[in-house]
Amino acid sequence: MDLAGAVALVTGGNGGLGQRICHALAKEGVHIAVMYAQSRNQAEGVARELTSRHQINAAAFVCDVTDGAAVERVVGDVTGHFGRLDILVNDAAYNQAIPFADLDSLTMEVWDKIMAVNLTGPMRLMKAVAPVMKAQGRGRIVNISSVAGVGPTGSVALAPEMLVNCVAPGLLEGTRATANLRREQIENSAATSLLKKPADKDDCADMVVTMCRTETMTGQTMVIDSGRYFH
C-alpha cells in the first residue's frame, strides 16, 4: 500500500512508543489521528509537532477503548475529519507493577482492567474500523503486543510450590470447538500443516500428564499443531 496520503489512527499516540510510531508513519506522508485516553494537552502537542515537522495533517482524538460507544464514535470522528481511514495501530495499553511472587495483589479489578484495555479494546477498534476499510477496498491493522505474551514469566508467582505451564493445540478433530468452525477452515488448517493432518488429542493429553508429572518445567507453552507453527 502506498503510504503517502493514507490516514492512520494510532491508539496511545501520545505515549513513548506511540509517538515514535506516529512520527515514523508521518515521515512517509501518512496523516495521523493521535488517539489518547488522558493527557489531552500532550496529545494535541504531538499532533502539532507532527504537522509542523512532516507537513502532514494531524489531530488528537479522545477515546476510552473500554467504552464500545466511544470507540464507534472516535472511528466516525476520524473518518469524518480526514475523509478516510487506512491504518489502525493498536498501541494503547495498561499495566500495573505487581511482584510476581505477590499473586494476591493481582486483584480481579486489576485483571479486568488489563484485559479490557489490552485485549478487548483492540478488538473493539478492529471491529469498528473493519467496515470502513472494507468499503475503501484497503486497510492495514497492526497490533502492538509484548514479549510477555511469548514467555509467560508470571508463572513464577506460584513457584516453587506450584508449576504453571500451557498446552496450545492447533486444529483438533472431534471437539466442540472444532465443530463450530467452517468446513473450509478445518480443511485448510490440516492442509497447511507440515504433517498434513490435525493435531492429536492424545498428544495434548499426554503433554498435560507430562506437565503434571514434571519437577523442572514451568512457564512453558507447548504448541501441538502438526507443524503449522514453529518457535
Side-chain angles (χ1 to χ4, degrees), residues 109-131:
E109 290 75 19
V110 172
W111 175 267
D112 287 344
K113 183 172 182 179
I114 290 172
M115 294 297 107
V117 175
N118 296 352
L119 293 180
T120 307
M123 177 56 71
R124 290 185 191 277
L125 280 151
M126 288 188 286
K127 288 174 69 67
V129 304

Side-chain angles (χ1 to χ4, degrees), residues 38-214:
Q38 301 175 9
S39 305
R40 173 182 175 181
N41 290 339
Q42 184 185 37
E44 290 180 343
V46 172
R48 287 193 298 271
E49 184 179 4
L50 290 167
T51 300
S52 63
R53 181 181 298 186
H54 304 289
Q55 289 74 55
I56 52 89
N57 296 323
F61 296 83
V62 65
C63 179
D64 176 358
V65 298
T66 68
D67 183 337
V71 168
E72 294 287 345
R73 187 165 55 250
V74 77
V75 171
D77 290 345
V78 170
T79 54
H81 183 87
F82 292 99
R84 60 184 303 110
L85 178 54
D86 304 284
I87 299 167
L88 167 66
V89 179
N90 277 313
D91 179 59
Y94 172 79
N95 203 358
Q96 183 169 326
I98 297 173
F100 287 151
D102 187 11
L103 188 62
D104 289 341
S105 291
L106 181 57
T107 64
M108 292 312 301
E109 290 75 19
V110 172
W111 175 267
D112 287 344
K113 183 172 182 179
I114 290 172
M115 294 297 107
V117 175
N118 296 352
L119 293 180
T120 307
M123 177 56 71
R124 290 185 191 277
L125 280 151
M126 288 188 286
K127 288 174 69 67
V129 304
V132 177
M133 293 181 177
K134 285 184 178 181
Q136 294 173 169
R138 73 171 194 174
R140 301 289 187 271
I141 296 174
V142 180
N143 296 315
I144 307 301
S145 183
S146 167
V147 70
V150 179
T153 53
S155 65
V156 300
L158 299 174
E161 295 83 6
M162 289 170 277
L163 307 184
V164 180
N165 295 289
C166 176
V167 177
L171 174 74
L172 294 170
E173 286 187 328
T175 67
R176 285 192 289 267
T178 301
N180 290 329
L181 299 175
R182 299 190 308 274
R183 170 51 53 184
E184 56 266 30
Q185 289 178 290
I186 297 172
E187 293 173 350
N188 180 69
S189 183
T192 55
S193 70
L194 187 64
L195 301 182
K196 308 300 182 186
K197 60 182 180 181
D200 189 85
K201 289 182 287 188
D202 287 333
D203 285 346
C204 295
D206 290 344
M207 181 54 64
V208 171
V209 173
T210 297
M211 288 176 169
C212 291
R213 182 184 293 121
T214 185

